[in-house]
Amino acid sequence: MKVAIVVSDGAQALDVAGPLDVFAEANANLPAHQRYEVSLVGSRAGTVTCSNGMQLAVPIGYADADTQYD
């Protein structure tokens, strides 16, 4: 299943890292064919700066996404 975590400038790092960790833990307990495929998506591809100054690389903008996310 494809899942997108939408990230924008000013987001709290925990709001990104928390869900990523949850899906990673779920994937550790699922067979390969049932694992989640998690992507970071922003308003545009590039660097997003969280509220604490941490920068994240966002590979795709949601306007450019051709994937159906859940």
Side-chain angles (χ1 to χ4, degrees):
M1 182 179 304
K2 295 184 180 203
V3 177
I5 297 175
V6 179
V7 185
S8 61
D9 284 321
Q12 291 190 357
L14 184 60
D15 290 339
V16 179
L20 283 172
D21 281 343
V22 169
F23 285 111
E25 287 297 318
N27 283 344
N29 295 295
L30 291 171
H33 70 281
Q34 291 183 328
R35 291 184 183 151
Y36 296 97
E37 183 181 331
V38 183
S39 300
L40 294 181
V41 178
S43 60
R44 68 197 178 320
T47 302
V48 173
T49 304
C50 294
S51 61
N52 65 0
M54 182 174 71
Q55 295 185 324
L56 301 171
V58 177
I60 191 164
Y62 52 75
D64 302 322
D66 60 356
T67 302
Q68 180 69 37
Y69 292 105
D70 292 321

XYZ file of all heavy atoms in Angstrom:
505
model
N 0.837 -1.164 0.000
C 0.000 0.000 0.000
C 0.890 1.237 0.000
O 1.846 1.318 0.748
C -0.890 -0.020 1.249
C -1.828 1.137 1.324
S -2.921 1.120 2.769
C -3.702 -0.460 2.603
N 0.561 2.191 -0.838
C 1.338 3.426 -0.924
C 0.732 4.482 -0.013
O -0.460 4.750 -0.072
C 1.391 3.913 -2.363
C 2.141 2.965 -3.250
C 2.271 3.511 -4.635
C 3.038 2.480 -5.453
N 3.681 3.056 -6.587
N 1.595 5.064 0.811
C 1.171 6.067 1.781
C 2.046 7.303 1.607
O 3.259 7.189 1.447
C 1.321 5.534 3.223
C 0.958 6.591 4.235
C 0.491 4.282 3.419
N 1.440 8.480 1.637
C 2.188 9.731 1.549
C 2.079 10.478 2.871
O 1.003 10.573 3.451
C 1.651 10.605 0.429
N 3.207 10.982 3.326
C 3.226 11.902 4.459
C 3.519 13.269 3.863
O 4.580 13.485 3.280
C 4.285 11.500 5.498
C 3.941 10.124 6.079
C 4.380 12.555 6.605
C 4.972 9.568 7.016
N 2.547 14.162 3.973
C 2.683 15.492 3.385
C 3.447 16.377 4.356
O 3.095 16.472 5.543
C 1.300 16.095 3.059
C 1.444 17.487 2.470
C 0.550 15.177 2.093
N 4.501 17.015 3.848
C 5.392 17.836 4.667
C 5.447 19.244 4.081
O 5.579 19.408 2.870
C 6.816 17.235 4.686
C 7.707 18.014 5.620
C 6.788 15.775 5.082
N 5.359 20.248 4.948
C 5.493 21.634 4.497
C 6.438 22.373 5.427
O 6.706 21.919 6.546
C 4.131 22.325 4.455
O 3.557 22.339 5.739
N 6.958 23.489 4.958
C 7.838 24.305 5.795
C 7.140 24.623 7.114
O 5.946 24.926 7.142
C 8.206 25.611 5.085
C 9.252 25.413 4.000
O 10.184 24.621 4.207
O 9.126 26.045 2.947
N 7.878 24.521 8.201
C 7.343 24.818 9.513
C 6.720 23.627 10.218
O 6.279 23.741 11.356
N 6.679 22.483 9.552
C 6.129 21.280 10.192
C 6.988 20.899 11.392
O 8.184 21.176 11.428
C 6.099 20.128 9.202
N 6.389 20.286 12.379
C 7.162 19.787 13.508
C 7.795 18.457 13.097
O 7.119 17.593 12.524
C 6.289 19.622 14.740
C 5.843 20.947 15.295
C 5.175 20.806 16.651
O 4.989 19.719 17.166
N 4.823 21.937 17.226
N 9.072 18.311 13.383
C 9.817 17.114 12.989
C 9.150 15.849 13.521
O 9.107 14.823 12.828
C 11.255 17.209 13.473
N 8.611 15.899 14.723
C 7.957 14.736 15.310
C 6.729 14.309 14.508
O 6.409 13.132 14.434
C 7.556 15.034 16.756
C 6.942 13.889 17.546
C 7.918 12.713 17.632
C 6.574 14.352 18.937
N 6.051 15.264 13.879
C 4.879 14.946 13.067
C 5.251 14.221 11.783
O 4.394 13.632 11.125
C 4.084 16.209 12.737
C 3.384 16.789 13.961
O 3.178 16.030 14.940
O 3.064 17.981 13.941
N 6.511 14.273 11.411
C 7.010 13.532 10.258
C 7.651 12.219 10.724
O 7.328 11.143 10.229
C 8.036 14.366 9.455
C 8.568 13.574 8.268
C 7.422 15.677 9.003
N 8.534 12.317 11.706
C 9.275 11.144 12.175
C 8.370 10.124 12.856
O 8.570 8.915 12.697
C 10.388 11.576 13.131
N 7.369 10.576 13.598
C 6.475 9.656 14.301
C 5.760 8.706 13.354
O 5.859 7.485 13.503
N 5.037 9.230 12.358
C 4.378 8.332 11.413
C 5.359 7.452 10.631
O 5.073 6.282 10.380
C 3.632 9.282 10.468
C 3.399 10.502 11.284
C 4.617 10.620 12.169
N 6.523 8.009 10.270
C 7.515 7.177 9.578
C 7.928 5.991 10.433
O 8.035 4.857 9.942
C 8.756 8.008 9.208
C 8.625 8.924 8.006
C 9.852 9.825 7.891
C 8.451 8.119 6.734
N 8.132 6.227 11.725
C 8.501 5.139 12.634
C 7.380 4.117 12.779
O 7.632 2.910 12.846
C 8.882 5.682 14.011
C 10.287 6.256 14.049
O 11.080 5.953 13.136
O 10.586 6.992 15.005
N 6.147 4.574 12.840
C 5.012 3.654 12.964
C 4.946 2.724 11.750
O 4.788 1.502 11.889
C 3.689 4.424 13.138
C 2.494 3.498 12.994
C 3.663 5.125 14.483
N 5.074 3.285 10.554
C 5.036 2.450 9.359
C 6.249 1.523 9.280
O 6.135 0.384 8.830
C 4.927 3.308 8.094
C 3.550 3.885 7.888
C 3.324 5.241 8.010
C 2.472 3.063 7.570
C 2.053 5.777 7.828
C 1.195 3.586 7.393
C 0.987 4.946 7.518
N 7.411 1.985 9.719
C 8.609 1.133 9.735
C 8.416 -0.053 10.673
O 8.783 -1.190 10.345
C 9.836 1.944 10.144
N 7.839 0.182 11.853
C 7.571 -0.906 12.793
C 6.540 -1.875 12.227
O 6.674 -3.086 12.365
C 7.099 -0.357 14.139
C 8.190 0.293 14.953
C 9.288 -0.685 15.348
O 8.985 -1.828 15.739
O 10.460 -0.288 15.274
N 5.502 -1.337 11.590
C 4.495 -2.205 10.978
C 5.139 -3.071 9.898
O 4.887 -4.278 9.822
C 3.362 -1.373 10.394
N 5.990 -2.464 9.075
C 6.653 -3.210 7.998
C 7.552 -4.313 8.527
O 7.707 -5.351 7.890
C 7.462 -2.263 7.098
C 6.576 -1.490 6.150
O 5.424 -1.832 5.935
N 7.114 -0.432 5.587
N 8.124 -4.111 9.712
C 8.994 -5.130 10.297
C 8.209 -6.384 10.681
O 8.796 -7.457 10.827
C 9.711 -4.567 11.524
N 6.892 -6.239 10.821
C 6.050 -7.356 11.235
C 5.107 -7.853 10.141
O 4.258 -8.691 10.406
C 5.236 -6.957 12.471
C 6.125 -6.709 13.664
O 6.775 -7.615 14.148
N 6.187 -5.462 14.108
N 5.255 -7.336 8.948
C 4.399 -7.737 7.832
C 5.197 -8.505 6.783
O 6.382 -8.230 6.590
C 3.783 -6.499 7.156
C 2.749 -5.723 7.951
C 2.412 -4.413 7.241
C 1.499 -6.561 8.132
N 4.550 -9.429 6.088
C 5.236 -10.078 4.969
C 5.491 -9.045 3.863
O 4.786 -8.027 3.771
C 4.256 -11.153 4.513
C 2.951 -10.857 5.146
C 3.201 -9.942 6.297
N 6.471 -9.297 3.037
C 6.908 -8.335 2.017
C 5.766 -7.836 1.138
O 5.700 -6.654 0.815
C 8.007 -8.937 1.161
N 4.846 -8.690 0.769
C 3.773 -8.284 -0.150
C 2.709 -7.409 0.522
O 1.868 -6.837 -0.164
C 3.126 -9.514 -0.794
C 2.309 -10.338 0.147
N 2.877 -11.227 1.038
C 0.973 -10.398 0.335
C 1.915 -11.804 1.740
N 0.755 -11.324 1.336
N 2.754 -7.257 1.850
C 1.786 -6.420 2.555
C 2.395 -5.145 3.136
O 1.700 -4.376 3.782
C 1.149 -7.210 3.705
C 0.241 -8.325 3.250
C -0.404 -9.025 4.423
O 0.175 -9.142 5.502
N -1.610 -9.510 4.217
N 3.658 -4.904 2.900
C 4.324 -3.750 3.515
C 3.887 -2.430 2.894
O 3.487 -2.347 1.752
C 5.846 -3.907 3.386
C 6.337 -5.028 4.262
C 7.824 -5.158 4.234
N 8.193 -6.309 5.044
C 9.258 -7.044 4.837
N 10.095 -6.745 3.865
N 9.506 -8.080 5.607
N 4.002 -1.393 3.713
C 3.686 -0.040 3.284
C 4.868 0.554 2.528
O 6.016 0.347 2.895
C 3.384 0.851 4.494
C 2.159 0.426 5.256
C 2.262 -0.373 6.392
C 0.902 0.833 4.834
C 1.130 -0.765 7.093
C -0.237 0.441 5.533
C -0.110 -0.358 6.653
O -1.231 -0.737 7.332
N 4.565 1.315 1.496
C 5.575 2.078 0.769
C 5.298 3.547 1.089
O 4.324 4.133 0.611
C 5.455 1.822 -0.730
C 6.505 2.508 -1.551
C 6.325 2.228 -3.028
O 5.809 1.161 -3.388
O 6.705 3.115 -3.818
N 6.145 4.121 1.938
C 5.908 5.465 2.457
C 6.764 6.480 1.697
O 7.957 6.268 1.489
C 6.226 5.535 3.968
C 5.915 6.913 4.512
C 5.435 4.471 4.725
N 6.139 7.571 1.291
C 6.836 8.647 0.589
C 6.584 9.969 1.299
O 5.492 10.199 1.834
C 6.319 8.779 -0.849
O 6.515 7.604 -1.576
N 7.599 10.826 1.285
C 7.414 12.206 1.733
C 7.013 13.021 0.513
O 7.647 12.936 -0.539
C 8.703 12.773 2.330
C 9.211 12.137 3.615
C 10.476 12.841 4.072
C 8.161 12.165 4.701
N 5.967 13.804 0.662
C 5.454 14.623 -0.432
C 5.274 16.036 0.097
O 4.778 16.231 1.210
C 4.107 14.072 -0.958
C 3.555 14.943 -2.054
C 4.262 12.636 -1.445
N 5.695 17.014 -0.687
C 5.540 18.410 -0.296
C 4.790 19.188 -1.342
O 4.341 18.638 -2.345
N 4.682 20.468 -1.143
C 4.025 21.303 -2.150
C 4.873 21.368 -3.414
O 4.369 21.608 -4.499
C 3.762 22.704 -1.605
O 4.973 23.326 -1.234
N 6.170 21.112 -3.236
C 7.113 21.048 -4.356
C 8.256 20.145 -3.930
O 8.487 19.945 -2.739
C 7.635 22.435 -4.709
C 8.528 22.982 -3.608
C 8.769 24.459 -3.648
N 9.569 25.028 -2.610
C 9.588 24.756 -1.320
N 8.854 23.806 -0.829
N 10.356 25.402 -0.482
N 8.956 19.604 -4.898
C 10.149 18.813 -4.586
C 11.238 19.748 -4.090
O 11.324 20.898 -4.517
C 10.619 18.058 -5.825
N 12.060 19.278 -3.173
C 13.165 20.088 -2.673
C 13.331 19.933 -1.174
O 12.954 18.918 -0.599
N 13.863 20.957 -0.561
C 14.140 20.929 0.862
C 13.026 21.617 1.636
O 12.575 22.698 1.263
C 15.483 21.641 1.160
O 16.508 20.991 0.423
C 15.825 21.579 2.632
N 12.594 20.967 2.703
C 11.590 21.527 3.608
C 12.276 21.740 4.950
O 13.014 20.873 5.416
C 10.391 20.567 3.760
C 9.441 21.046 4.815
C 9.673 20.396 2.435
N 12.049 22.886 5.560
C 12.640 23.183 6.859
C 11.591 23.068 7.949
O 10.560 23.742 7.915
C 13.251 24.600 6.870
O 14.210 24.700 5.806
C 13.943 24.893 8.189
N 11.853 22.178 8.901
C 10.938 21.968 10.028
C 11.045 23.126 11.014
O 11.976 23.929 10.960
C 11.267 20.651 10.738
S 10.963 19.203 9.716
N 10.117 23.180 11.950
C 10.076 24.273 12.917
C 11.321 24.337 13.796
O 11.681 25.406 14.285
C 8.827 24.152 13.803
O 8.856 22.936 14.535
N 12.011 23.212 13.973
C 13.231 23.200 14.789
C 14.491 23.447 13.963
O 15.599 23.365 14.476
C 13.351 21.879 15.553
C 13.526 20.681 14.645
O 13.562 20.797 13.423
N 13.614 19.505 15.246
N 14.345 23.725 12.670
C 15.481 23.993 11.801
C 15.979 22.784 11.027
O 16.790 22.925 10.114
N 15.519 21.586 11.391
C 15.933 20.381 10.668
C 15.391 20.437 9.250
O 14.244 20.832 9.028
C 15.403 19.126 11.371
C 15.835 17.846 10.694
S 15.363 16.373 11.626
C 13.604 16.361 11.375
N 16.238 20.078 8.298
C 15.821 20.095 6.905
C 15.594 18.679 6.404
O 16.347 17.766 6.725
C 16.860 20.809 6.048
C 16.971 22.282 6.397
C 17.907 23.029 5.488
O 18.918 22.493 5.053
N 17.565 24.269 5.199
N 14.538 18.526 5.622
C 14.195 17.238 5.036
C 14.195 17.360 3.523
O 13.738 18.367 2.976
C 12.791 16.803 5.482
C 12.544 16.653 6.974
C 11.061 16.426 7.233
C 13.366 15.510 7.521
N 14.693 16.342 2.860
C 14.641 16.290 1.406
C 13.311 15.666 1.005
O 13.003 14.539 1.388
C 15.798 15.474 0.851
N 12.516 16.407 0.263
C 11.226 15.924 -0.219
C 11.389 15.645 -1.711
O 11.607 16.564 -2.493
C 10.113 16.966 0.044
C 8.789 16.494 -0.510
C 10.011 17.251 1.529
N 11.296 14.374 -2.111
C 11.596 14.016 -3.486
C 10.542 14.410 -4.512
O 10.838 14.472 -5.705
C 11.762 12.497 -3.441
C 10.999 12.063 -2.248
C 11.055 13.203 -1.272
N 9.314 14.672 -4.063
C 8.255 14.951 -5.039
C 7.236 15.938 -4.467
O 6.947 15.926 -3.274
C 7.563 13.648 -5.492
C 6.659 13.894 -6.683
C 6.827 12.993 -4.352
C 6.247 12.633 -7.402
N 6.725 16.773 -5.335
C 5.628 17.662 -4.964
C 4.310 17.004 -5.285
O 4.217 16.217 -6.231
N 3.264 17.308 -4.519
C 2.000 16.620 -4.746
C 1.375 16.936 -6.099
O 0.633 16.134 -6.638
C 1.004 16.810 -3.602
C 0.719 18.223 -3.167
C -0.059 19.076 -3.906
C 1.241 18.687 -1.970
C -0.318 20.357 -3.488
C 1.000 19.975 -1.542
C 0.210 20.810 -2.304
O -0.035 22.085 -1.885
N 1.690 18.074 -6.676
C 1.178 18.386 -8.013
C 1.846 17.529 -9.077
O 1.281 17.310 -10.155
C 1.387 19.865 -8.325
N 3.051 17.028 -8.769
C 3.799 16.201 -9.723
C 3.577 14.714 -9.516
O 4.045 13.902 -10.312
C 5.295 16.495 -9.602
C 5.616 17.957 -9.850
O 4.974 18.564 -10.750
O 6.475 18.502 -9.152
N 2.906 14.338 -8.469
C 2.723 12.918 -8.136
C 1.721 12.291 -9.092
O 0.636 12.806 -9.305
C 2.257 12.761 -6.691
N 2.121 11.177 -9.645
C 1.199 10.435 -10.516
C 0.751 9.131 -9.853
O 0.227 8.238 -10.475
C 1.839 10.148 -11.863
C 3.111 9.329 -11.761
O 3.555 9.038 -10.629
O 3.668 8.978 -12.807
N 0.953 9.063 -8.547
C 0.621 7.880 -7.766
C -0.654 8.130 -6.976
O -0.882 9.223 -6.471
C 1.773 7.569 -6.773
O 2.965 7.375 -7.509
C 1.483 6.332 -5.954
N -1.472 7.113 -6.859
C -2.658 7.172 -6.011
C -2.253 6.762 -4.608
O -1.897 5.614 -4.373
C -3.747 6.228 -6.546
C -5.005 6.229 -5.711
C -5.763 7.540 -5.817
O -5.821 8.141 -6.861
N -6.345 7.971 -4.727
N -2.243 7.711 -3.675
C -1.853 7.433 -2.298
C -3.079 7.167 -1.443
O -4.161 7.643 -1.737
C -1.088 8.627 -1.709
C 0.252 8.865 -2.321
C 0.454 9.902 -3.212
C 1.326 8.054 -1.999
C 1.705 10.118 -3.770
C 2.579 8.271 -2.543
C 2.760 9.304 -3.435
O 3.987 9.528 -3.978
N -2.869 6.410 -0.357
C -3.923 6.169 0.628
C -3.748 7.127 1.777
O -2.689 7.564 2.062
C -3.871 4.733 1.148
C -4.243 3.749 0.055
O -5.170 4.052 -0.730
O -3.622 2.688 0.000
